[in-house]
Structures are given as C-alpha cells and as structure tokens.
Amino acid sequence: MRRHLEIVRLLADGGLHSGETIARRLGISRAALWKALRKADEALGLGIESVRGQGYRLPRPLELLEAGAISAALDAQVREHLTGLEVLADVDSTSSHVLRRADEGAASGLVCLAERQRAGRGRRGRTWVSPFGCNLYLSILWRYPLAPADLGGLSLAAGTAVGEALMAAGAEGIVLKWPNDVHWRRRKIAGLLLEVSGEAQGPSQVVVGVGVNLDLDAAQAAAIDQPWADMREALGGRHAGRNRTAAALVQRLTLALAGYDPARMAGILDDWRRLDGYRGEPVELIAGERRIAGVYVGIDPQGALLLESDGATRAFMAGEVSLRPRA
Ligand code: BTN
C-alpha cells in the first residue's frame, strides 16, 4: 500500500510524468515500473493512463486527504473535543474500523477518514459506492453516559449538521429527506449511518458514518441505485476541496455530537425542520415488503415521520421505514 500511495502522490497533480522520473523517485528500475504502476492501478482503481513515449498520468488531478490540513481548519474548541484524526488510504469501511477501535477502548471523539472503502455500508443493508480519492468517507465515535433510548434525536441532529456543513462548503439548495438523507435538487448528495449500542441504562456509544459525493464520474456512479448528485455539480463545476469540505463536516458534526442533549429535542427538531425538503409532498413509505402511499406532513415531537393517508395521520420511526418522494 505504501508503494501504491507513493505512486498516487507522484501523479496526483494530473500532469504527465515520464517513466524515467517516476522510476527514479520510487527508486526502482524502468522494468519494474510498469508492474508497480499496474498493481497500484488495480488495487486502487485509479485509471492511470499511459501516453506513448511521454509517460503516465491520472485521468484527473487528486487532492489527497491530509490530517494536518483538516485539523488546522478546525476551531480550537472542536480540536479539543477530538481524541484522534486518522486518515487511511484503504479500509473496508470507516465505520467498521471505528467500531473495532471502540471495542478496543478508543475514547470518544475519534475521527476516521479514508481515501477509499472496499465495503462501504449504507442504510438498510445497501453498499455505499466508495472509489479512491474523489469523495469523503468519514466516521466519528462518540460516547454518552445516556441510555441508547435517549439518543433518538441524534440521527436528526447529525443530518442537520451535515446539511449545514455542505452549505458552509458552498452548496446552495441543500435539503434533508427524513430521517437524514442529504439532497440537492431532489438527488442524494450525502448519506448518514448511525450505529448506536450500549447498556439499557447507559452508557452508550454511537458511530456516525457520513459519505459525501464530491466528484463522482458516471462510470463510478453506475452502481448507485438512486438519483445522485455531487458537490462539484452543486457548486457549478468545482467543489471546495476535499480537505476543506472534510473540515467543515468534522467541525459541525463534532459540535452537534458534543452538544447533544435529549432535553433540547425541540431545538433539534426546529433546526431539522428548517432544512426539510419534502414536507407536504406525496410520498411512498417502504417498510420491508410493504409500500404505503400518502402525504408526508412533517415530523412529530419524537422526530418520527408523519404520514397522512386514508384520512388518518400515522407516525413511523426511523429504522422501520424509508421514504420515497412520488412526484
Ligand atoms: C446511507 O445509506 O445513506 C448511509 C451511507 C453512509 C455511508 C458512510 S461512508 C463512511 C461510513 N462508512 C461506511 O461504511 N458507511 C458510512
């Protein structure tokens, strides 16, 4: 992996680099170079191009994640809450990694980002498409003295924090789709996965995993089974930078997690409602095999979804169902 990353760093500017230069920088022979490039390409799915007689390049420049740059862009108050900021080149899933670290006793406030996930996980057993070097995949561990049942508002609070982070990174027109999908122009631009565990009376822990589409090409996105958008499109052709956007996410998520208090549920709901993108719209609720058509009329004081159908309004909790706009 170290050799693969060295190669990525050498090619990251997107320019053409001669075989001779790359081989010299890596300290290997020209003969060994081709094999090394092919291996890195295969391992990371980089799409390295070879230009006859001139050298090698990436199809587009890459901005690699740097823990130092992300940390430097955080407020001091946020930095104080964090107990670690790991940037991994390659992982199965940042959330699985952070769960493992939690099992080993990692402290609250551990953040992990990865350049790529081999088995990125989405809600309801879906996979999260996670190619190398172009999006953000991030997980944070937080521990609470509270019972897991008291963490019901976290899912909405974290969704609001991610929506606000993307706005801070320059995207206009960001909305939320219950419970915490982040949408732009009715397409998904970011998703969250919260994994809560603990003792019935507390303490408890949550791992919040966030995936943000920053710059996906059509080939990479072919496996996504729902309408998607990325920050590049939302910002008119160029996103704010991977490290800058990552810092905006860590900043707001940390404040939301550190400040979470179930007694302040009303404020969490108000903040979430300000970004609600689908209230009053015809929707379909998907609950396992069942489909229920109705009008989504908002959220109740517990954060449950309210669906009006056949003259009645019913509440559904997150986890049970997912919401699909019909329009
Ligand atoms: C969703 O289905 O909307 C949730 C997607 C969550 C994806 C993120 S990417 C970082 C973290 N690691 C994972 O395996 N999943 C989450």
Side-chain angles (χ1 to χ4, degrees), residues 93-95 117 120-123 128 137-139 181 188 191-193 209-211:
S93 145
T94 53
S95 285
Q117 299 185 116
R121 299 188 280 111
R123 285 180 68 217
W128 187 258
Y137 321 113
L138 172 158
S139 298
D181 278 357
K188 185 155 168 172
L192 286 85
L193 179 70
V210 185

Side-chain angles (χ1 to χ4, degrees), residues 88-165:
L88 307 176
D90 187 38
V91 72
D92 51 353
S93 145
T94 53
S95 285
S96 303
H97 174 81
V98 169
L99 281 167
R100 290 190 291 267
R101 300 274 280 109
D103 283 349
E104 293 159 12
S108 188
L110 171 67
V111 177
C112 170
L113 293 111
E115 295 290 0
R116 171 176 95 137
Q117 299 185 116
R118 273 172 280 113
R121 299 188 280 111
R123 285 180 68 217
R124 303 194 315 130
R126 289 175 137 146
T127 52
W128 187 258
V129 173
S130 309
F132 185 90
C134 50
N135 299 317
L136 292 176
Y137 321 113
L138 172 158
S139 298
I140 303 191
L141 168 67
W142 219 265
R143 296 185 186 275
Y144 295 95
L146 303 165
D150 285 332
L151 301 186
L154 259 186
S155 151
L156 300 182
T160 305
V162 172
E164 288 175 347

Side-chain angles (χ1 to χ4, degrees), residues 65 67 70-71 73-75 77-79 81-87 109-113 136-140 142 161-162 165-166 210 212 242-258:
L65 296 171
I70 297 169
S71 176
L74 300 173
D75 287 352
Q77 180 203 358
V78 166
R79 267 202 301 270
H81 281 299
L82 299 185
T83 55
L85 185 84
E86 299 181 354
V87 173
L110 171 67
V111 177
C112 170
L113 293 111
L136 292 176
Y137 321 113
L138 172 158
S139 298
I140 303 191
W142 219 265
V162 172
L166 299 193
V210 185
V212 179
R242 296 179 75 224
N243 288 294
R244 251 186 81 192
T245 312
L249 277 171
V250 174
Q251 169 83 25
R252 282 182 174 66
L253 265 175
T254 303
L255 292 177
L257 294 174

